[in-house]
Amino acid sequence: MNFRHKLGKFLVEAGVVSEAAIEKALEEQRRGGGRLGATLVSLKLCTEDQIRSALKDQMGVEVVNLEDVIPDPNLQNLLSVELIRKYEVIPIKCEDRKLWVAMMDPYNLTAIDDIRFKTGFSRLVIATCTEGDFKRYIEEHLETKGLIDEILQGGDFYNKAIEQLENVELREPGEDEPTSAALLAHELRLASTQSPIVTLCNFLLVEAINRRASDIHVEPYSTSLRIRLRVDGRLRTILSPPKRLAPAITARLKVMSDMDITIRRISQDGHLAVNYQGQVIHFRVSTIPTVYGEKTVLRLLKKDNKLETLHQLGFDPDDIKIFESCLNAPHGMILITGPTGSGKTATLHSGLNVISNSELNIVTLEDPVEATLPGINHIPVNKRGGMNFADGLRSILRQDPDVIFLGEIRDTEVATIAMRAAQTGHLVLSTLHTNNAVESIVRLLDMGIPHYVITSTLLLVMAQRLVRKVCDVCAEFVEPTRENLDFLGIEPEDSANVILRQGTGCSACMESGYRGRTAIYELIRITDEIKELIRKGASSQELLECARVDGTRSLFEAGREKVLHGITTIDELKKTLYVGNN
């Protein structure tokens, strides 16, 4: 029996799938090819985690999640790419004269003997991995190795510069022997301007733009360097250059961002802009020291770019009307709540774009300013310069504003000033960090804001999250399982017309099956009934029940609707809301 059939047998014995499910997957294999494990996952008959658990229980060997493995450059050349693909094996680590490897088929004795011969290690520790993990590892690490090798074939000068840098002690400005610091700065700058490093950094910036990334992470470790992009809220490794490149890559990014390349023991902030396809793309750059060197994070900013409309962000027409009616109010407060990265600022910026005109003085106070809109005054918080949210808000109120966007209400002082502004003829938009809309009202009360101030100023509260959208390029329809129907709250007799969508993975979505994100939200209008409950000191549950009578949907219900419309998936909804059931 070959390994493919063993895998099916293991999954059935572990109770993960049925014999009928295996037959369905094998039939799909015969039509479209591929591996059994990947086919089962793509058909939503099981998950990668279930396969890992079954392999561990049934095969009696360790199961490695390759997403957690950082490539060791010392092991990358032990096996050729051809041999790695042939035997489906990944060298993981080397310790005590033993080599740890993860193999798709840990019972392939011929492969094990050949690996011993090729690597020179007589003692192997064999683990296994899933097909999906192996495929992703190959794409993210091995397929970029040739690119890096090609980029670095720029001459011997770079290698010499790196060797010199490794022997120079880094000094901070103000220390003795300033000539040494000056020499270091010169050598770092020289290494960072050599063609291979310039090419690599330029490739990284362009790749982030083309892949619609929001952040770039350049992370040094003890023996390796990892570069990841955050796309649609998830980090994905795209490059694993040799660790020796870390100083020059960091120096190059610092030079481009006008930062001091001789300082690496304290964090720094900078900014860079690049011209690409007729557009100026801005990046906010931050460095921070780690035990293995400086980590650099670049945030792509949306300056001077056209913002998405509320409809494009995923809002329903009826809710857009409610939101826009509040935006056109002469005074009051609109709050959006949710964790970091839930799209709160993007939604409020889109709202500002709706009402912006020459008759209004619109001012924003943000930390940092991540998007600029024509006709709107954007003010960054400058803590080093002595301007925090409270001081900045006081200054704005002396500037005759009509509309104020306050990046975040962080404490009682800021909340009090913002509420007072909303009471005295200004429209105030801001954000809070709470789990749902009702908790925002409770949070303001906990901050000491009197209930009569809340009821006289608050217009609308909305909780928001972002879920990834199914990639339209590789999307396919799937029938829901009984587990899916239970999660969605649909009875089996009502499931005839329920057809879900999922992405199988393609180049357009980086094999993830998702492309882009959309908002799910819980919107509460502060009606007279809710105001009366706030005055009476009603509980969160009473406030929520009153809001639901007015038509408020929970975050789960909003997400459920987008699942049923094929916009997102159940797995994505579970991950975003951290729920296993409704």
Side-chain angles (χ1 to χ4, degrees):
M1 181 185 295
N2 64 31
F3 180 68
R4 307 299 175 209
H5 292 126
K6 285 180 184 176
L7 176 61
K9 181 173 180 289
F10 292 154
L11 294 175
V12 171
E13 290 176 351
V16 174
V17 295
S18 63
E19 292 279 3
I22 293 295
E23 288 301 320
K24 181 178 179 180
L26 291 174
E27 182 180 347
E28 180 66 23
Q29 254 190 316
R30 287 190 286 270
R31 285 201 302 262
R35 300 183 175 95
L36 179 60
T39 302
L40 287 166
V41 173
S42 69
L43 292 175
K44 297 293 183 180
L45 297 173
C46 66
T47 66
E48 291 279 359
D49 286 338
Q50 287 176 317
I51 293 178
R52 292 190 193 103
S53 178
L55 290 176
K56 181 178 180 180
D57 293 340
Q58 300 295 323
M59 301 181 72
V61 296
E62 181 185 359
V63 180
V64 178
N65 184 346
L66 293 178
E67 290 184 354
D68 299 331
V69 174
I70 299 174
D72 186 342
N74 297 322
L75 302 180
Q76 286 186 343
N77 296 321
L78 278 178
L79 296 172
S80 66
V81 175
E82 292 76 14
L83 205 63
I84 287 175
R85 290 184 182 278
K86 177 181 178 181
Y87 292 138
E88 297 173 322
V89 57
I90 301 293
I92 298 175
K93 66 176 180 178
C94 173
E95 194 175 279
D96 296 331
R97 298 181 182 179
K98 291 187 290 187
L99 177 65
W100 274 257
V101 297
M103 299 180 63
M104 286 279 298
D105 182 358
Y107 298 136
N108 189 337
L109 301 181
T110 301
I112 292 172
D113 288 339
D114 206 5
I115 291 168
R116 286 195 179 102
F117 176 76
K118 297 290 186 183
T119 62
F121 284 88
S122 59
R123 300 169 65 191
L124 296 181
V125 179
I126 309 297
T128 189
C129 60
T130 67
E131 297 169 354
D133 284 348
F134 180 82
K135 180 181 177 182
R136 283 189 291 271
Y137 188 94
I138 292 292
E139 291 172 349
E140 293 176 357
H141 300 294
L142 295 188
E143 290 184 358
T144 61
K145 186 175 183 298
L147 170 65
I148 295 173
D149 292 341
E150 181 180 341
I151 289 174
L152 297 179
Q153 288 173 357
D156 295 330
F157 176 84
Y158 170 74
N159 292 326
K160 294 178 181 177
I162 291 298
E163 291 173 1
Q164 292 172 356
L165 291 176
E166 291 175 346
N167 296 324
V168 175
E169 180 182 356
L170 293 174
R171 298 176 182 271
E172 304 296 340
E175 292 185 5
D176 295 335
E177 299 180 32
T179 54
S180 297
L183 175 62
L184 169 63
H186 172 72
E187 290 178 338
L188 276 170
R189 189 177 296 273
L190 200 60
S192 72
T193 56
Q194 294 309 297
S195 180
I197 294 302
V198 171
T199 304
L200 182 57
C201 289
N202 289 348
F203 165 79
L204 181 59
L205 298 177
V206 170
E207 191 74 357
I209 295 168
N210 288 336
R211 296 199 185 195
R212 305 169 294 103
S214 61
D215 301 88
I216 307 169
H217 290 241
V218 182
E219 305 165 315
Y221 294 92
S222 59
T223 60
S224 62
L225 177 64
R226 179 171 67 175
I227 299 177
R228 297 190 289 174
L229 297 183
R230 186 179 294 279
V231 180
D232 296 332
R234 304 295 196 274
L235 282 169
R236 295 286 300 272
T237 301
I238 63 160
L239 291 174
S240 299
K243 173 64 183 298
R244 61 189 177 86
L245 303 187
I249 291 175
T250 302
R252 174 61 185 169
L253 295 173
K254 283 185 171 183
V255 167
M256 297 173 72
S257 309
D258 198 26
M259 290 192 277
D260 191 333
I261 59 177
T262 65
I263 298 177
R264 73 171 192 177
R265 295 193 184 103
I266 59 176
S267 60
Q268 292 190 71
D269 296 310
H271 170 270
L272 69 89
V274 297
N275 287 302
Y276 181 65
Q277 294 184 347
Q279 284 189 318
V280 179
I281 311 296
H282 297 260
F283 295 79
R284 188 181 78 237
V285 186
S286 171
T287 64
I288 192 168
T290 74
V291 293
Y292 299 121
E294 287 180 282
K295 173 177 177 175
T296 306
V297 175
L298 298 88
R299 164 65 60 90
L300 279 74
L301 306 179
K302 295 180 179 179
K303 292 186 177 181
D304 303 321
N305 283 351
K306 184 178 179 181
L307 290 175
E308 290 181 301
T309 65
L310 292 170
H311 175 72
Q312 290 170 328
L313 289 173
F315 285 81
D316 294 336
D318 291 342
D319 292 328
I320 291 176
K321 290 179 182 179
I322 295 172
F323 192 17
E324 290 185 349
S325 69
C326 294
L327 287 169
N328 285 297
H331 58 82
M333 177 174 281
I334 296 172
L335 282 178
I336 298 187
T337 182
T340 300
S342 59
K344 303 185 296 295
T345 300
T347 296
L348 290 175
H349 276 181
S350 295
L352 291 176
N353 208 26
V354 170
I355 62 174
S356 179
N357 62 64
S358 60
E359 296 180 355
L360 291 176
N361 177 21
I362 302 177
V363 186
T364 77
L365 182 64
E366 304 169 69
D367 182 21
V369 176
E370 296 191 5
T372 57
L373 300 171
I376 293 179
N377 304 284
H378 296 274
I379 301 173
V381 169
N382 187 350
K383 295 176 184 176
R384 293 182 180 178
M387 185 173 72
N388 54 27
F389 273 110
D391 295 333
L393 186 52
R394 291 190 184 95
S395 298
I396 288 173
L397 290 173
R398 295 191 288 269
Q399 290 280 314
D400 185 32
D402 296 299
V403 181
I404 301 170
F405 169 47
L406 184 62
E408 182 184 350
I409 293 178
R410 296 182 176 178
D411 52 45
T412 300
E413 182 182 17
V414 174
T416 302
I417 300 170
M419 283 290 187
R420 187 179 303 130
Q423 275 185 307
T424 55
H426 307 89
L427 179 65
V428 179
L429 289 67
S430 192
T431 70
L432 273 175
H433 287 290
T434 59
N435 290 326
N436 56 53
V438 168
E439 284 185 15
S440 296
I441 300 172
V442 177
R443 175 68 60 83
L444 292 174
L445 291 168
D446 290 343
M447 285 182 173
I449 306 299
H451 62 79
Y452 60 84
V453 174
I454 295 175
T455 56
S456 65
T457 58
L458 206 54
L459 302 172
L460 178 146
V461 183
M462 182 165 63
Q464 181 174 309
R465 302 290 190 276
L466 292 177
V467 294
R468 292 183 295 174
K469 296 191 294 185
V470 173
C471 175
D472 289 328
V473 177
C474 61
E476 64 179 20
F477 292 102
V478 294
E479 294 182 7
T481 64
R482 179 60 185 270
E483 181 183 357
N484 291 340
L485 294 173
D486 290 342
F487 177 81
L488 296 171
I490 298 174
E491 296 298 329
E493 57 269 22
D494 300 326
S495 65
N497 297 322
V498 177
I499 300 177
L500 309 180
R501 282 207 319 164
Q502 68 177 23
T504 58
C506 63
S507 58
C509 60
M510 296 173 59
E511 304 297 334
S512 68
Y514 299 94
R515 182 174 172 83
R517 290 192 288 178
T518 188
I520 58 174
Y521 53 90
E522 176 184 77
L523 187 150
I524 297 179
R525 293 188 300 174
I526 308 302
T527 61
D528 290 339
E529 291 77 12
I530 288 181
K531 289 179 181 179
E532 184 61 29
L533 288 175
I534 294 173
R535 292 190 190 99
K536 292 179 178 179
S539 66
S540 299
Q541 186 60 36
E542 289 174 311
L543 290 170
L544 181 59
E545 289 174 358
C546 182
R548 291 180 70 84
V549 171
D550 189 49
T552 294
R553 295 175 305 173
S554 69
L555 286 167
F556 174 81
E557 289 168 336
R560 175 182 181 272
E561 185 171 328
K562 297 211 168 180
V563 169
L564 293 174
H565 281 85
I567 297 172
T568 189
T569 66
I570 289 176
D571 287 343
E572 179 65 9
L573 186 60
K574 287 180 177 180
K575 289 178 182 177
T576 303
L577 298 183
Y578 308 105
V579 294
N581 54 62
N582 57 348

